[in-house]
Amino acid sequence: MKDITVNYYGKLAELIGTNQELVQTTAESIGDFSLFLRQRHPSLCDMTLQIAQNNHIESSEAPLSSKEVDVFPPFSGG
Amino acid sequence: MARYSRHIDLHEVGPSGQRKITQARVLVVGAGGLGVPVLLYLTAAGVGKIGIVDPDHVEEENLQRQVLYREADLNNNKALVAQKLLKARNSEIDLHAYPQAFQVDNAISLVEAYDVVVDCTDNFQTRYLINDACVKRNKPLVFAAIFKYEGQLSVFNYQDGPTYRCLFPKPPLPGEVPNCEDNGVLGVLPGILGMYQTNEILKIIIGLGKVLSGTLMTVNLLTLDQKQLTFTRDNKEVNHIKNSPLQLTDINDCKLI
């Protein structure tokens, strides 16, 4: 189990009701972690999102190695 | 050049930097919340040729943040109104109004006629189309997008840097991400993000500082937190765009994880 601090942005923070939470996960990769978050928060299930760790946006194959991640959707407003 | 003396006095800019600004051609797609501050500052800076693309009319609820427009401009086309009002502020520059949507059939010819393209739109379909046209014609694209109190900023396709599709390959489902019309937005938010866009435009034109290529900057006005998240170019994604005919991205058919 890893303890991860998750920062949420935009609509994602609104759907979850907070812009930060601490989670415990066994996810090994960024892709696994994305699935874990979608299971934990069904409201995220269909949402487009990207995950960054150590200030770098990762592919889903990348190993989950940081204790803090940023999870954000695309914004469209202008 | 007296009106630009405060730029010229910056020794990193100087007369040659101001000449680059005067000779630059910038296409602003969308003359709304983001587009208005971009247009006002590009005009003040003396950018030689500015294109303004917007099919919409000025509406009452725009006045809360689109500070160029006046009550007298209600129901008139934004591109035409902006052209007129900006011309009154700087008669030395060339302002082109395109009172039409940015579409597949005009995208390439619009992008081709300018050096830098600015995405100030409010919908994904146009954002993907602008990106793809810029990839095809190798133009830098200065991007911003907003949500309530938060903004995202980046520069795409700059000196072979990553593109919008390298950041978000898959468009969201319809209605997944609402625009300002559905959701509300603090009036100063597009003002702040639009100024950041203009800053990047001037840096690109003059060759100043570090351009925000390969980096997504996020801004939250409630916490004043800012972050810079890096991302890399996906050559497969870029080559696919280069080698395919320009088309609208089908937001409805996309399959998500």
Side-chain angles (χ1 to χ4, degrees), chain B residues 154-170:
Chain B
S154 192
V155 175
F156 301 126
N157 208 41
Y158 177 71
Q159 295 179 349
D160 293 327
T163 74
Y164 185 47
R165 287 184 188 271
C166 305
L167 177 61
F168 292 113
K170 292 172 189 165

Side-chain angles (χ1 to χ4, degrees), chain A residues 29 31 40 66:
Chain A
S29 69
R40 180 180 170 87
S66 175

Side-chain angles (χ1 to χ4, degrees), chain B residues 198-242:
Chain B
T198 316
N199 185 44
E200 293 306 308
I201 298 163
L202 293 175
K203 282 158 61 185
I204 291 169
I205 292 171
I206 303 167
L208 269 184
K210 174 181 163 284
V211 172
L212 197 69
S213 169
T215 306
L216 179 74
M217 186 171 101
T218 68
V219 182
N220 183 323
L221 294 193
L222 297 185
T223 59
L224 295 178
D225 283 337
Q226 281 193 13
K227 250 188 189 168
Q228 291 192 22
L229 307 171
T230 56
F231 59 100
T232 49
R233 180 172 163 113
D234 180 341
N235 279 320
K236 207 175 126 208
E237 200 74 52
V238 177
N239 289 334
H240 178 70
I241 295 305
K242 280 187 176 166

Side-chain angles (χ1 to χ4, degrees), chain A residues 25-39:
Chain A
T25 181
T26 55
E28 296 288 335
S29 69
I30 293 292
D32 291 345
F33 189 63
S34 176
L35 285 174
F36 164 82
L37 289 179
R38 289 169 202 276
Q39 280 162 4

Side-chain angles (χ1 to χ4, degrees), chain B residues 30-43:
Chain B
L34 293 168
V36 160
V38 170
L39 289 166
L40 280 166
Y41 274 85
L42 291 180
T43 298

Side-chain angles (χ1 to χ4, degrees), chain B residues 101-217:
Chain B
F102 188 93
Q103 289 172 312
V104 171
D105 58 4
N106 62 10
I108 294 293
S109 62
L110 282 169
V111 162
E112 247 168 12
Y114 294 87
D115 308 311
V116 181
V117 179
V118 197
D119 180 354
C120 299
T121 60
D122 63 358
N123 68 86
F124 286 113
Q125 209 159 43
T126 314
R127 289 185 184 282
Y128 280 97
L129 185 61
I130 296 170
N131 176 75
D132 295 352
C134 286
V135 169
K136 281 184 169 297
R137 285 298 175 267
N138 199 24
K139 304 285 181 178
L141 170 58
V142 181
F143 162 92
I146 54 175
F147 177 80
K148 292 176 77 174
Y149 309 99
E150 293 175 68
Q152 297 176 337
L153 180 82
S154 192
V155 175
F156 301 126
N157 208 41
Y158 177 71
Q159 295 179 349
D160 293 327
T163 74
Y164 185 47
R165 287 184 188 271
C166 305
L167 177 61
F168 292 113
K170 292 172 189 165
L173 294 167
E176 186 188 317
V177 185
N179 62 28
C180 303
E181 302 294 313
D182 315 314
N183 220 45
V185 62
L186 196 66
V188 295
L189 176 66
I192 291 167
L193 269 293
M195 301 265 241
Y196 272 124
Q197 281 180 291
T198 316
N199 185 44
E200 293 306 308
I201 298 163
L202 293 175
K203 282 158 61 185
I204 291 169
I205 292 171
I206 303 167
L208 269 184
K210 174 181 163 284
V211 172
L212 197 69
S213 169
T215 306
L216 179 74
M217 186 171 101

